[in-house]
Amino acid sequence: MKLFLAKEEGKKSEAKETRMDFEKSSVSIKDDTEMADDDTAQNPESSRKLSSDSDSSDSEDEAEQTQQLRALESDLSTNPSNYDAHILYIKLLRRRGEIEKLREARENMNVLFPLTPAMWVEWAKDEASLLNDSDSESVEKLYERGISEYLSIPLWREYLNYVLQHDPKVCDSSVDGISKARNLFERAVTAAALHVAQGSQIWDAYTQFEQSILLTIDQSDIQAKENQVQRIRSIFHRQLSIPFANMKSTLLSYKAWEVEQGNSLDAESDNVDGISSHVASSYRKAEEMYNARAHLEEHITRQGISESERYQHFMAGNIVKDVYSRATRKCPWVGELWVRYLLCLEHGLASEKEISAAFEKSVQCTFSTLEEYLDLFLTRVDGLRRRLSSARGDDVLNYSLIRESFQQATDYLSPHLKNTDGLLRLHAYWACLELKLNNNLTAARGVWGSLLKTCGSMLEAWQGFIAMEIALGHINEARAIYKRCYSKRFSGTGSEDICHAWLRFEREFGTLDDLDHAVQKVMPRLEELQLFRLEQESKSLTEVTNQRERPLKKTASEKRKLGSIAIDEQSPAKRQKSTQNQKKLHEKENTRGLKLAEANDGEEKKGKVEEQVNEQLVKDTYSSKTRLYTDQCTAFASNLNIRAIDEDLKQFFSDVGGVTAIRILHDKFTGKSRGLAYVDFKDEEHLAAALAKNKQMLLGKKLSITRSNPKRGKRESGALTTSEHDSNQSGIEGSSASKESVEISKGSSVAPQVPHSRKHFESIQLKGKNTFAVPRNVKPLGWTTSKPGTKKEEDEKPKSNDEFRKMFMTS
């Protein structure tokens, strides 16, 4: 221990000098004052002049430093992430000796950034100069914080030296002190002793410490000395098995130490003759490992190269590649490992054959997500693009490799990533490379066309295709794509967005005629979409209302169930009392029922008369309306522009003449036109001329005109139905006729109102209005499913009021 401390005597003096860092300014001022006093005694005039100049210079420096401190404090308050400002602020505070502010500044910087090893050493030395050796624990905590942020051999050396020189127990070579030092050395060799260039410094310090311990052992304690010798020899053997830059020096030191222990070795030779076989074997293996890495270490440690070049030299090493190769063999299901492996091979300038082999292995693995496959394919294409663009390496690359990779990715991912951003990203990248690297516009358009076949309902795919054409200045091609997609249905507000995008495109790139044409196409589409949105909102509102009503019905039914359960759970006495109350209520209800039956006798007769009158009214009304539509010559017009009005139709049929009335159908909720209309003509001749104008344009749309014939759709009662239209009509005419029939069935203002089926009224014959006595789980009085004339029908004949009275009296 004394030998080790003697070797560190020079370092102690440095520590003592460091201890006085913060007193230098005051000492310097004191010395200057004493010298000034001596000069004053000898030459008062010159001393006064020098003193005034010195005071003026010091005051100027002080003012400048103060101003600089304020500027840095203001900068850090507004921008705490300014790394350079933190460094300047700490240096200035240390120069001025402001200890408390200096501590605070270092702590504030360490909250945002890791301090450099040199800054940790400087901080620890500043704190050590202000403390006694007995208070070394706070300084050791600073060193611990430093080694947790950086792997630095100089920082570890400073930490070890501080503990060996200032820890009282270690300096006294006590059992606890030696144990503490050994534990610290073992931590150091575990963390930093494998460093090829500087790791031997930690091992050398370790062996020197143990040799100093050997000198403190009493000569008479042979066993203790032998144990310590074996400990030192073990440390040497461990050091000789690790590849270091100065392995031969370590071997010579070991042989010299063995000679001191009385072993006969050639201490001047750097060969392994004379040492144990296992040590010699480990040394040779370590030497081979170092020789294989020596040129790489030389590139990394060489001065005058940039950090990026240093990183490239590091990644070019076979060690990293071997690590990734082993990792992908052990964990082939991790896609990120394969991505990093391909990048490592590219950094190491591997051949295309080696990279391609690794990629083929990767795509055969099973990953947990499809995004991992996509990332892998894109990494492969990225590498091919970089090498093809820079023409690096000896391999001759062809663009066909990129196309094959894209095609392979598309074939594998398209069925699984339909209508996703990942598939869009893949095709957009492919089309971009076809243009930039291959200069093939046709191939780029083919890529977009292939994507639209798979993702035609994806708005972003159409937008990407259009953006490429616009960027190339192909305005007509972009307009053609808008015409293809403006009428498609996209999710969300995509349908409206593409329509507005077309209008904006024509304003920026098209002529006035192009804009007018786009408006004629887009505006009806936008109105149609708006109407659809309103219908959807109406349906949603209805569903919400129904959902709100369901809980109320459920609550009422639950209350009835709870009431029956409560009755079942009553005691026998309460149940008997409840039964008596129910009998009393039943008697009251019977009495009230008799009174109501008598009162309803007159109403029953009155109801029969009213029913007969209403039935005859329905017959007369329907007959008159049917006759009206049969006698008139009416044309049904469909596919009408929703902006059209009566005057437009009148003008359209002006060359035909004979128009007597025009009725445009409107939606009963929104009041907007439904694109349908009835036009009455005074005779068949004018109607035939109007039908000849079928498929002619009106306000930008082809108008479909057919004969209106309500007789085509009759029910059993003579009413019209939508299912019995003229099946001989075909094409648009058939469609128009169907629309006409639908409008009639919906009850529009011009179609006759269709009454209920007479068959239903004939099968139900309700007598009177009293149905309170009908049980809930049986059919109402008057309902029958039996055929007329059967015995069952006679048994189920509705009871008269007199029969009800008799039934109540007997009960």
Side-chain angles (χ1 to χ4, degrees):
M1 187 67 172
K2 293 178 180 179
L3 176 63
F4 178 78
L5 295 177
K7 291 181 180 180
E8 300 293 329
E9 185 175 355
K11 296 179 181 178
K12 286 185 178 180
S13 61
E14 294 179 1
K16 291 180 180 178
E17 292 177 1
T18 305
R19 192 186 298 268
M20 303 301 294
D21 282 346
F22 292 104
E23 285 84 359
K24 281 183 179 181
S25 57
S26 59
V27 172
S28 177
I29 294 173
K30 182 178 180 181
D31 293 341
D32 292 341
T33 304
E34 292 177 354
M35 292 174 64
D37 291 340
D38 295 339
D39 292 340
T40 302
Q42 296 177 2
N43 192 349
E45 293 182 1
S46 62
S47 64
R48 282 195 297 271
K49 184 177 180 180
L50 291 172
S51 176
S52 63
D53 293 342
S54 177
D55 293 342
S56 176
S57 178
D58 293 342
S59 62
E60 290 177 358
D61 292 342
E62 185 73 19
E64 183 180 356
Q65 291 179 2
T66 303
Q67 185 178 2
Q68 189 176 3
L69 277 176
R70 290 177 180 174
L72 290 172
E73 289 172 352
S74 177
D75 187 13
L76 291 174
S77 63
T78 57
N79 185 17
S81 301
N82 191 337
Y83 184 86
D84 295 333
H86 281 286
I87 297 295
L88 293 176
Y89 187 51
I90 290 173
K91 286 183 178 179
L92 189 57
L93 289 175
R94 190 169 187 270
R95 189 183 308 162
R96 292 169 60 91
E98 299 185 17
I99 306 302
E100 295 301 328
K101 284 189 175 182
L102 180 60
R103 287 195 186 108
E104 184 179 359
R106 283 166 167 163
E107 292 289 354
N108 291 338
M109 181 179 180
N110 191 227
V111 170
L112 300 175
F113 306 101
L115 304 184
T116 64
M119 294 180 69
W120 282 112
V121 172
E122 186 180 72
W123 190 358
K125 287 184 176 180
D126 290 345
E127 296 293 341
S129 65
L130 303 174
L131 300 174
N132 298 322
D133 290 344
S134 58
D135 300 330
S136 62
E137 185 177 355
S138 60
V139 180
E140 292 179 14
K141 289 182 179 179
L142 289 176
Y143 278 116
E144 287 288 343
R145 290 171 61 183
I147 62 176
S148 66
E149 289 188 350
Y150 278 99
L151 174 57
S152 171
I153 303 300
L155 183 59
W156 269 107
R157 285 183 57 196
E158 291 293 339
Y159 185 16
L160 292 168
N161 291 337
Y162 178 80
V163 172
L164 294 176
Q165 295 173 13
H166 296 86
D167 190 286
K169 295 181 179 179
V170 176
C171 293
D172 294 340
S173 299
S174 65
V175 176
D176 293 340
I178 293 174
S179 177
K180 177 180 178 179
R182 283 175 176 165
N183 291 335
L184 188 60
F185 270 114
E186 286 295 332
R187 287 177 57 199
V189 297
T190 301
L194 296 180
H195 195 286
V196 175
Q198 301 176 353
S200 60
Q201 298 177 15
I202 304 296
W203 289 102
D204 293 343
Y206 197 2
T207 54
Q208 290 176 13
F209 169 73
E210 293 295 345
Q211 288 176 12
S212 66
I213 297 297
L214 178 61
L215 296 177
T216 62
I217 299 176
D218 191 0
Q219 295 293 333
S220 60
D221 194 348
I222 299 175
Q223 185 64 37
K225 288 181 68 68
E226 183 62 26
N227 292 339
Q228 186 62 21
V229 168
Q230 290 298 329
R231 184 186 297 274
I232 297 171
R233 183 176 287 115
S234 176
I235 295 174
F236 270 120
H237 290 175
R238 291 166 62 188
Q239 184 178 358
L240 290 171
S241 64
I242 299 174
F244 287 126
N246 53 350
M247 294 186 64
K248 292 183 179 180
S249 177
T250 303
L251 179 61
L252 293 175
S253 299
Y254 170 61
K255 295 173 74 173
W257 181 80
E258 287 288 0
V259 171
E260 291 177 1
Q261 306 309 313
N263 298 317
S264 59
L265 292 174
D266 185 5
E268 302 296 332
S269 175
D270 59 356
N271 55 40
V272 293
D273 296 339
I275 62 177
S276 61
S277 60
H278 71 279
V279 177
S281 176
S282 299
Y283 177 81
R284 291 192 187 96
K285 290 181 181 179
E287 190 175 29
E288 291 176 0
M289 293 171 65
Y290 172 74
N291 292 334
R293 294 163 174 78
H295 66 287
L296 300 175
E297 291 292 331
E298 182 181 356
H299 287 309
I300 294 175
T301 58
R302 188 173 59 193
Q303 300 296 327
I305 63 174
S306 63
E307 290 297 327
S308 60
E309 292 177 336
R310 200 183 305 275
Y311 174 74
Q312 292 294 336
H313 288 306
F314 176 75
M315 294 301 296
N318 291 327
I319 297 178
V320 179
K321 183 177 71 173
D322 293 341
V323 170
Y324 279 124
S325 178
R326 292 195 302 271
T328 52
R329 286 198 304 269
K330 298 295 183 181
C331 303
W333 59 86
V334 182
E336 187 177 358
L337 282 177
W338 287 103
V339 170
R340 292 178 179 270
Y341 186 23
L342 293 177
L343 293 175
C344 176
L345 291 175
E346 187 179 356
H347 278 298
L349 303 180
S351 64
E352 169 59 22
K353 182 179 180 181
E354 186 177 3
I355 297 177
S356 177
F359 174 72
E360 292 300 329
K361 289 181 181 178
S362 65
V363 296
Q364 295 175 4
C365 299
T366 303
F367 302 142
S368 58
T369 61
L370 291 172
E371 284 73 14
E372 291 181 280
Y373 287 102
L374 177 62
D375 194 17
L376 187 64
F377 281 111
L378 292 176
T379 302
R380 168 63 170 163
V381 174
D382 292 341
L384 291 172
R385 176 191 59 80
R386 284 189 290 264
R387 287 184 291 151
L388 186 63
S389 302
S390 61
R392 289 192 308 172
D394 299 331
D395 295 334
V396 179
L397 297 180
N398 194 305
Y399 181 79
S400 60
L401 291 174
I402 294 179
R403 182 175 293 168
E404 290 173 2
S405 299
F406 273 122
Q407 190 62 53
Q408 184 180 5
T410 303
D411 294 342
Y412 184 80
L413 298 175
S414 292
H416 309 287
L417 294 179
K418 186 177 180 180
N419 294 329
T420 61
D421 293 336
L423 195 60
L424 173 62
R425 176 187 172 192
L426 182 68
H427 282 79
Y429 190 17
W430 187 359
C432 179
L433 294 186
E434 289 287 355
L435 282 175
K436 292 184 177 180
L437 292 183
N438 200 33
N439 297 322
N440 193 336
L441 177 59
T442 304
R445 287 173 175 167
V447 171
W448 283 112
S450 175
L451 176 64
L452 293 177
K453 290 180 181 179
T454 307
C455 306
S457 61
M458 189 176 184
L459 175 62
E460 292 79 2
W462 292 95
Q463 290 175 333
F465 194 4
I466 294 171
M468 184 193 76
E469 296 291 357
I470 294 176
L472 295 174
H474 301 158
I475 305 303
N476 292 331
E477 287 76 5
R479 182 178 294 113
I481 301 173
Y482 273 120
K483 292 180 180 179
R484 289 172 55 190
C485 67
Y486 85 97
S487 60
K488 290 185 175 294
R489 184 176 297 279
F490 300 105
S491 61
T493 60
S495 301
E496 291 89 341
D497 294 342
I498 198 65
C499 291
H500 292 302
W502 188 9
L503 294 177
R504 185 168 58 252
F505 166 80
E506 295 297 354
R507 285 198 301 268
E508 296 175 358
F509 300 99
T511 64
L512 185 60
D513 292 338
D514 295 330
L515 180 59
D516 292 341
H517 178 72
V519 170
Q520 292 178 1
K521 292 287 186 181
V522 167
M523 296 309 296
R525 174 63 174 165
L526 289 175
E527 293 176 358
E528 178 186 352
L529 292 171
Q530 184 179 7
L531 181 60
F532 176 76
R533 301 288 181 200
L534 292 174
E535 292 177 355
Q536 293 297 318
E537 291 176 1
S538 177
K539 289 181 180 179
S540 301
L541 183 61
T542 304
E543 291 178 358
V544 172
T545 305
N546 293 337
Q547 290 177 358
R548 290 178 179 176
E549 291 177 353
R550 287 193 197 104
L552 298 176
K553 296 179 180 179
K554 185 176 179 181
T555 303
S557 62
E558 289 178 352
K559 287 182 178 180
R560 287 194 296 270
K561 291 181 180 179
L562 291 175
S564 61
I565 294 174
I567 293 174
D568 293 340
E569 293 179 353
Q570 288 178 352
S571 61
K574 290 183 178 180
R575 193 178 302 163
Q576 184 177 3
K577 185 177 181 180
S578 176
T579 303
Q580 295 175 356
N581 293 335
Q582 289 179 359
K583 288 183 178 180
K584 293 179 180 180
L585 289 174
H586 186 61
E587 292 176 358
K588 292 181 180 180
E589 289 179 356
N590 289 342
T591 305
R592 190 184 301 115
L594 291 173
K595 294 180 180 180
L596 288 173
E598 293 174 356
N600 285 335
D601 263 343
E603 291 188 8
E604 181 180 356
K605 298 177 180 179
K606 183 179 179 181
K608 288 182 179 180
V609 175
E610 290 179 353
E611 183 178 353
Q612 293 175 357
V613 172
N614 289 336
E615 191 171 334
Q616 185 62 37
L617 180 61
V618 170
K619 290 181 180 179
D620 296 340
T621 301
Y622 174 72
S623 298
S624 62
K625 288 188 176 181
T626 302
R627 184 169 55 257
L628 174 64
Y629 279 91
T630 304
D631 296 341
Q632 287 184 345
C633 299
T634 304
F636 178 70
S638 61
N639 198 33
L640 180 67
N641 193 313
I642 60 176
R643 293 181 295 170
I645 59 178
D646 292 356
E647 291 297 327
D648 296 324
L649 285 171
K650 187 175 182 181
Q651 183 67 23
F652 179 77
F653 291 110
S654 61
D655 57 339
V656 174
V659 177
T660 59
I662 297 175
R663 299 177 299 284
I664 297 178
L665 305 188
H666 295 82
D667 188 273
K668 62 180 179 180
F669 295 108
T670 63
K672 292 187 176 181
S673 171
R674 303 177 65 178
L676 308 171
Y678 290 96
V679 183
D680 296 336
F681 296 90
K682 61 183 181 181
D683 53 32
E684 286 290 337
E685 181 180 357
H686 289 87
L687 176 60
L691 295 176
K693 299 190 63 139
N694 184 33
K695 297 300 180 182
Q696 293 188 14
M697 299 295 294
L698 174 62
L699 297 180
K701 300 188 73 173
K702 290 184 179 180
L703 192 63
S704 178
I705 307 172
T706 59
R707 178 187 294 272
S708 176
N709 191 356
K711 289 183 178 181
R712 298 280 182 186
K714 294 183 178 181
R715 295 186 182 177
E716 292 180 64
S717 62
L720 297 177
T721 64
T722 61
S723 60
E724 297 176 358
H725 255 282
D726 188 4
S727 60
N728 295 327
Q729 291 180 337
S730 59
I732 301 297
E733 296 182 4
S735 174
S736 302
S738 177
K739 290 181 180 178
E740 173 193 357
S741 181
V742 171
E743 295 306 323
I744 294 174
S745 66
K746 286 184 177 179
S748 59
S749 59
V750 299
Q753 296 292 335
V754 181
H756 291 289
S757 175
R758 303 175 66 89
K759 182 178 180 180
H760 179 65
F761 287 103
E762 291 171 358
S763 62
I764 300 177
Q765 298 177 358
L766 293 175
K767 303 297 182 180
K769 297 184 179 179
N770 261 335
T771 58
F772 69 92
V774 180
R776 293 180 180 271
N777 57 349
V778 299
K779 296 178 181 178
L781 289 174
W783 183 273
T784 177
T785 57
S786 304
K787 296 182 180 179
T790 60
K791 183 179 179 180
K792 189 174 183 179
E793 180 187 15
E794 297 175 358
D795 295 339
E796 293 183 355
K797 183 178 180 181
K799 295 179 174 57
S800 64
N801 288 334
D802 293 334
E803 291 173 334
F804 269 118
R805 290 191 193 94
K806 292 178 181 180
M807 180 179 68
F808 289 138
M809 293 297 293
T810 56
S811 61

